[in-house]
Each structure stands twice: as C-alpha cells, then as structure tokens.
Amino acid sequence: MKLVLATKNENKVKEVAQFLAPHDIEVVSLNEFPDFPEIEESGETFKDNAIIKASEACMFTGLMALADDSGLEVDYLDGLPGVYSARFAGEDKNDSENNKKLLELLKGVPAEERTARFKCVMAVATTECFVYTTEGVCEGVIAEKPRGEEGFGYDPLFYLPEYGKTFAELGLEIKNKISHRARALTGALDIISDLKIMMADEEEE
C-alpha cells in the first residue's frame, strides 16, 4: 500500500517510513508533489490541524493520506508552545531559535516545575472522504541546556528521567518505540490495517 505523508519535513518522513516499512506500507512525502499548495494550519488544536492536513493531501494527490500535528506542552507555561511549537519564536524562526526562547522562559525554574509532554495527533484520510484520528503522548522534563545530536525540534531539550537521556540522545530505534509520534503511529497503523482489510473485502465482492 502507498500513502502520502502530509509533510515536507524529511526528518519526519524518515521516522514514519521506518516505522511503517515492516508492514508493507510505502510512504511518500509532499516533496514529490511540487505543485501542492501551502497548507494553512488554522486549527485551534492538534486534532484540527491533523485533519486539515490529511484531508487536503488526500484530495490533492488522490492517495490515502496520513498527517500529524504535534508539539510540546510545558506545564509551567500553561501548555505553551502547544500548536505554536513549530513557530514559537516567530514564523521565520528555526528549531534553534525555538529552543532558545523556551530556555529563556524557563530560566531559573527548578526541575520539578519543568514537566512537559510531547503530544501527537495523527489523522488518516481516505479517498472515500473518511477521516480517522488517533493520539499519542510522551511525558518528560525540559532540560536546562540542549543535549544530543539526533532528532529535531525540541528533541535536544526533552529529557526522559527513566532513560537519563534527551530525545536527541536516544537514537531512532528507541525513540520509535516510546515517542508520542510512535504511540500515535501505532494507533494509525491499526486504522490503516483495518482499512486494508475493508478494501480487500470490497475487491472480492
């Protein structure tokens, strides 16, 4: 089965493709559709934005589409950056600037008050115009400085006490088992597997 992942972020494509490959699911990104218009993520929640992205990618490409909207929720900041995670420091800023702003806002805050979670909502849109969603959460703490070279986004700051490492230090093999995206992907895989069975049954009829 072939599906389009509604993103141009090759790091994200790599993670998802690696996760789905053993299940005979080929993942292509929006980079293979150069005429695809920019998606306006106008939703107020991760779920809203995931549905918007999956639906638009499906309609444009004619393929089943998988989209996620994910971000970091910091308790001390009342859930920020939340849906603004990718543009926390401004529309034209990058991961480094976002991390810098987060650390500035948490300067002097003790470890026990730096609790946070990565949250991911995934949406699967079918060519029959049905959309299904699933959610994954991973709890952690915001480190006082970046650690690790792997991953992207806030990974160098997201510390998991049970591993004694940040997401950027874990490596893909472990991250793809415990991350918010991995947990949401597990749910999405269940949805896609059920859809494959339904499609096979319809073909037999």
Side-chain angles (χ1 to χ4, degrees):
M1 170 182 276
K2 185 176 184 178
L3 63 79
V4 59
L5 184 62
T7 184
K8 294 182 179 180
N9 184 322
E10 288 302 326
N11 286 310
K12 189 177 293 185
V13 174
K14 182 180 178 181
E15 279 190 20
V16 174
Q18 182 173 316
F19 187 94
L20 296 179
H23 305 281
D24 196 29
I25 300 172
E26 179 188 354
V27 176
V28 297
S29 77
L30 291 179
N31 289 319
E32 299 194 28
F33 301 90
D35 295 329
F36 187 85
E38 191 72 26
I39 298 175
E40 182 179 353
E41 298 180 31
S42 56
E44 295 183 0
T45 66
F46 294 130
K47 183 176 180 178
D48 290 342
N49 285 331
I51 290 173
I52 290 170
K53 290 187 279 189
S55 299
E56 292 194 17
C58 179
M59 286 188 290
F60 186 90
T61 66
L63 296 171
M64 181 183 294
L66 175 64
D68 86 302
D69 198 52
S70 56
L72 182 69
E73 296 179 340
V74 180
D75 292 322
Y76 185 82
L77 301 178
D78 296 323
L80 288 174
V83 294
Y84 306 105
S85 291
R87 52 190 186 277
F88 193 39
E91 291 288 348
D92 59 342
K93 304 302 182 181
N94 55 28
D95 290 347
S96 178
E97 293 294 326
N98 287 335
N99 285 332
K100 181 180 178 181
K101 179 176 179 179
L102 180 60
L103 288 177
E104 288 174 351
L105 291 174
L106 293 177
K107 187 174 182 179
V109 177
E112 61 269 20
E113 295 183 37
R114 300 171 75 94
T115 53
R117 70 204 46 81
F118 268 130
K119 184 178 289 185
C120 175
V121 176
M122 288 213 161
V124 179
T126 73
T127 52
E128 290 79 23
C129 298
F130 292 105
V131 181
Y132 307 85
T133 62
T134 183
E135 181 179 302
V137 175
C138 184
E139 300 283 345
V141 177
I142 303 302
E144 294 187 358
K145 61 181 180 180
R147 287 171 44 179
E149 302 296 328
E150 297 190 37
F152 56 98
Y154 297 95
D155 285 0
L157 291 179
F158 192 72
Y159 178 77
L160 296 99
E162 63 269 37
Y163 287 88
K165 294 181 179 180
T166 67
F167 258 2
E169 295 175 303
L170 279 178
L172 267 183
E173 184 175 351
I174 297 177
K175 184 181 175 183
N176 273 351
K177 293 178 181 177
I178 67 167
S179 75
H180 55 306
R181 187 168 292 111
R183 289 168 177 165
L185 263 175
T186 298
L189 178 59
D190 289 340
I191 293 169
I192 294 168
S193 297
D194 288 343
L195 290 171
K196 286 172 71 176
I197 293 172
M198 290 171 56
M199 291 164 60
D201 290 343
E202 290 173 357
E203 289 178 1
E204 288 181 4
E205 292 176 2

